[in-house]
Amino acid sequence: MVKLTPPMGWNSWNTFGNNINEQLIFETADAMVKEGLPEKGYEYLVVDDCWSLRERDASDRLVADPAKFPHGMKAVADYVHSKGLKFGMYSCAGNLTCAGYPGSFEHEFIDAETFASWGVDFLKYDYCYHSPIIAGKYLYGRMGLALDNCGRDILFSACSWGADETHEWIKTTGASMWRSTGDIFDTWQSVKDLVKQQERLHPFNGVGCFNDMDMLIVGMYGKGNVGLAGCNDTQYRTHFSIWAFLGSPLMIGCDVRNMNDMTKKILTNEELIRINQDPACRQPFKLTGIWCGDDVLLYAKHLADGDLAIGLFNLSDQKCAARFNLDEVGLPHSTGRTLKMTELWTGEEATVVNSTFCKDLDAYDCAVYRAKVVERTR
Ligand code: GLA
């Protein structure tokens, strides 16, 4: 499977954890369609851990828990497909999954065939209980090869949390995305931690294999499996903006059957999604600006059509005046050019009159621009 832009969809883990069943998945597929999520690019519906029985069957195959999925996984896949969505499932490179269900270690080919026979389009592959002797690159390489030979186009979503220098070998395995962070929780501190874990890994993100900063917590408000203190809407908007800007897969983690208007607005911002899905998938670069502390992050990124994306992210709990100089984005005075900037949440237009751009940001807030390179008139 070759995936040219970051995968988008929904995953059951953040809100539902072990509490999953056929009814939930059917209702989620219905809700995704009702809310217009596929038109915005959200195409995969992924069932995470805890879907199987604790034992394989007599022919060594994984078995869906009949109490949760009484009609089996093929029926679930068929329903999801009937809604125009793609269907994802979960397994693990270890003997057991993280929640203690059978993993795919030494069953890679039979499991890939099973997933293919059910109509699975996406496999998230975790790293719990893995062999202490066989390195991650071999374990993921095996499953990558099994998927590429299972007779169905299945997107391989690696989930080794960046452990064992995953970035050095993940592109050898056939994975289209790889978890470059630890697990997300529904707190602001968790968002900050994951953003910081990402900094050294930006050079490894790009077309075909995407750094996955973990599923989104937008709209969880502290409820559900990874729900702790929760965040406010400003924080969710900034969280979504950073994930989109940095080119992470966008996997919704809230209950899409019950989203409020703000949650929908955040998750469906077309301009932010357009930056996330920019065909060039270029590496972002940091702007130094004027230092406002380690928690104020300023990034720019070249887009495929010659525009720049500029993201000003205030992760701190204080107001700040975010600034950068046009020199930093490649437009010193000698070029005779400046930027015409449109903020993507408010639609506000801004032209840089002298060579410094300045924007006041409230605590936790952000501003994200699409900027056109234009002739300087004064
Ligand atoms: C790990 C992964 C999570 C989730 C759980 C399921 O912690 O990182 O995203 O899949 O396992 O048990």
Side-chain angles (χ1 to χ4, degrees), residues 40-59:
K40 305 289 178 178
Y42 295 99
E43 59 178 334
Y44 289 98
L45 186 163
V46 181
V47 174
D48 206 283
D49 202 353
C50 309
W51 59 268
S52 76
L53 284 180
R54 301 261 175 196
E55 304 291 337
R56 291 172 177 270
D57 70 10
S59 45

Side-chain angles (χ1 to χ4, degrees), residues 13 48-49 90 98-99 124 126 128 159 161 179 183 214-215:
W13 183 252
D48 206 283
D49 202 353
Y90 165 102
C98 296
K124 173 171 169 182
D126 222 328
C128 285
C159 182
W161 328 296
R179 270 282 293 286
D183 282 14
D214 206 356
M215 284 90 70

